[in-house]
Amino acid sequence: MNETCAIIVAAGRGTRLPGDLPKQYLRLDGQALLRHSLARLTKNPSIDKARAVIHPDDLELYGEAAEGLDLLPPVFGGATRQESVLRGLESLSDLSPSKVLIHDGARPFASEALIARVAGALGAHEGAIAALSVTDTLKREDNHRVAGTVDRQGLWRAQTPQGFRFASILEAHRAADGLNLTDDAAVAEAAGMEVALVEGDEDNFKVTTPQDVLRAQRLLSPNLETRVGTGFDVHRFEVGATLYLCGVRIPHDRGLSGHSDADVGLHALTDAILGALGAGDIGEHFPPSDPRWRGAESAIFMRHAAGLVAERRGRIVNLDLTLICERPKLSPHRLAMRQSIAEILALPLERVSVKATTTERLGFTGRNEGIAAQATATLALPEGG
Ligand code: MG
């Protein structure tokens, strides 16, 4: 039962935007603008089946934009928007849905609630359109001068989706053939249909100008927030062990003792990243009791923490590590250690800092019993992530 179908109109040749691509195929957040519109309609619970009306030249672009979405095969549009909609409606007549929502392909932000409002209003009305009341004062112009003020009382800006009982709008479109009306409500009006106004949404704008493209990009990129985490770790020296610090083998007469390769620097960094994520600590993710991590390269732990950042669509802004020991002298190895961390995490070198200090022969590090490390990690994460 195809109760409610949707037609997404994307056959136009937008000429107001720069670039070679028709505007509905401009890329927003890595995907064609049209894909965002298609996804909103196909995934809406109010819509049973959806079909796009496209330009014949765009078949390949469309195939890419629609990949994986649950859509009927596209149909080709005509010379005008009105003609394209009529072709879309005719193509659905075999399915004879009871209702149809007609939506501009260049409106990528129709919310689920907005689509549901329009579809829902068709229970009581022959037609229903998303619209916003006009809040700016309107001027009539004559030769670039104000020639008068238009009373805005009762004026609305029409958006899409515009929904209609299917049989009525198909008949209205057939009757209006050749009139070149700019929206489907105008076609319905011409046929004497009753069309209700449903509250639209300012974000449901039509991408038309370069400013609109920027606005759309802003809406798609989430606000990032800064997160900071700290890490601290200590490992004791063991004669006969190999010393690894930040993934670099450091020549010394002893190494560090531990379950894994005991890389105290990478352990502190891993904890700092996990801390910034609020994702526990290294011991929780890699229990020392688990034989899999015996002698393991600690790069695995840090890469895992960085993977969690990527899963949250975040990124590491910078890392800062301080290694604390009396010996060996670490300054000759600082660059190699920074390079190693930067390489493990695919970060630019200037985002990775490694410092070394002593404790003036005080305490366990002063007595050459082991190495301590403390780290901070700064992350940029999408808000709410
Ligand atoms: Mg450790």
Side-chain angles (χ1 to χ4, degrees):
M1 182 75 174
N2 300 306
E3 193 57 23
T4 304
C5 286
I7 291 174
I8 298 103
V9 194
R13 306 276 81 180
T15 52
R16 279 169 282 190
L17 292 177
D20 294 335
L21 288 175
K23 72 172 178 188
Q24 53 274 45
Y25 298 100
L26 279 180
R27 297 192 88 76
L28 284 182
D29 196 30
Q31 295 178 331
L33 190 164
L34 177 61
R35 183 178 180 86
H36 294 277
S37 312
L38 296 172
R40 297 274 176 146
L41 273 292
T42 53
K43 290 175 183 167
N44 194 285
S46 309
I47 309 289
D48 298 302
K49 281 205 160 60
R51 161 167 281 158
V53 184
I54 65 170
H55 193 280
D57 293 349
D58 299 341
L59 200 50
E60 204 172 307
L61 287 168
Y62 174 79
E64 203 184 304
E67 199 186 331
L69 296 176
D70 184 17
L71 283 150
L72 297 168
V75 293
F76 294 142
T80 64
R81 184 187 185 283
Q82 191 186 324
E83 205 178 319
S84 295
V85 174
L86 176 57
R87 292 193 188 182
L89 291 169
E90 294 284 8
S91 79
L92 292 177
S93 48
D94 286 348
L95 294 169
S96 65
S98 64
K99 301 165 204 158
V100 63
L101 262 57
I102 301 163
H103 187 59
D104 294 328
R107 290 186 194 268
F109 300 113
S111 70
E112 182 168 329
L114 173 68
I115 296 165
R117 279 201 293 281
V118 173
L122 295 177
H125 304 279
E126 251 189 311
I129 67 168
L132 288 166
S133 61
V134 173
T135 52
D136 293 327
T137 299
L138 298 175
K139 299 295 181 190
R140 182 172 287 112
E141 174 238 298
D142 181 26
N143 200 21
H144 301 297
R145 287 184 174 76
V146 172
T149 300
V150 179
D151 183 8
R152 71 180 180 212
Q153 185 71 33
L155 290 184
W156 290 67
R157 292 180 285 142
Q159 299 187 323
T160 73
Q162 302 193 343
F164 307 92
R165 307 267 173 84
F166 180 77
S168 313
I169 194 68
L170 176 57
E171 197 180 317
H173 257 281
R174 283 172 178 166
D177 199 10
L179 291 184
N180 198 14
L181 299 169
T182 55
D183 77 348
D184 304 291
V187 173
E189 292 153 47
M193 285 169 67
E194 180 238 357
V195 180
L197 293 167
V198 167
E199 188 65 31
D201 187 339
E202 287 292 354
D203 284 345
N204 179 35
F205 62 98
K206 188 172 179 178
V207 177
T208 308
T209 65
Q211 286 75 18
D212 295 333
V213 176
L214 290 177
R215 187 179 167 195
Q217 278 161 344
R218 274 200 303 272
L219 273 174
L220 283 168
S221 45
N223 287 331
L224 295 177
E225 61 182 10
T226 301
R227 300 279 196 97
V228 175
T230 68
F232 180 76
D233 196 25
V234 172
H235 282 257
R236 130 190 342 265
F237 276 127
E238 181 182 290
V239 176
T242 307
L243 178 61
Y244 291 100
L245 289 175
C246 305
V248 177
R249 186 177 171 160
I250 310 274
H252 193 44
D253 63 357
R254 63 198 68 181
L256 293 171
S257 123
H259 185 71
S260 62
D261 67 4
D263 192 326
V264 69
L266 295 188
H267 292 185
L269 285 167
T270 303
D271 262 351
I273 297 168
L274 292 173
L277 288 170
D281 64 19
I282 191 170
E284 239 172 85
H285 290 263
F286 303 97
S289 55
D290 189 331
R292 272 184 301 168
W293 314 124
R294 184 180 300 281
E297 272 183 51
S298 296
I300 296 170
F301 310 150
M302 189 169 66
R303 232 183 255 121
H304 170 78
L308 297 177
V309 177
E311 265 177 37
R312 304 261 285 266
R313 298 185 71 201
R315 64 185 176 84
I316 296 170
V317 177
N318 75 298
L319 299 172
D320 187 17
L321 175 71
T322 304
L323 294 165
I324 305 157
C325 62
E326 222 54 51
R327 284 204 302 272
K329 194 170 165 47
L330 292 177
S331 50
H333 306 288
R334 275 175 55 192
L335 179 61
M337 291 191 285
R338 288 176 68 204
Q339 283 170 334
S340 166
I341 295 163
E343 190 173 316
I344 293 165
L345 298 177
L347 283 174
L349 187 63
E350 81 270 9
R351 291 180 184 270
V352 178
S353 157
V354 175
K355 310 192 297 301
T357 188
T358 71
T359 50
E360 301 281 340
R361 302 194 178 178
L362 297 171
F364 68 87
T365 53
R367 292 189 299 270
N368 270 312
E369 292 169 5
I371 300 181
Q374 64 182 37
T376 60
T378 306
L379 311 183
L381 280 192
E383 272 176 15

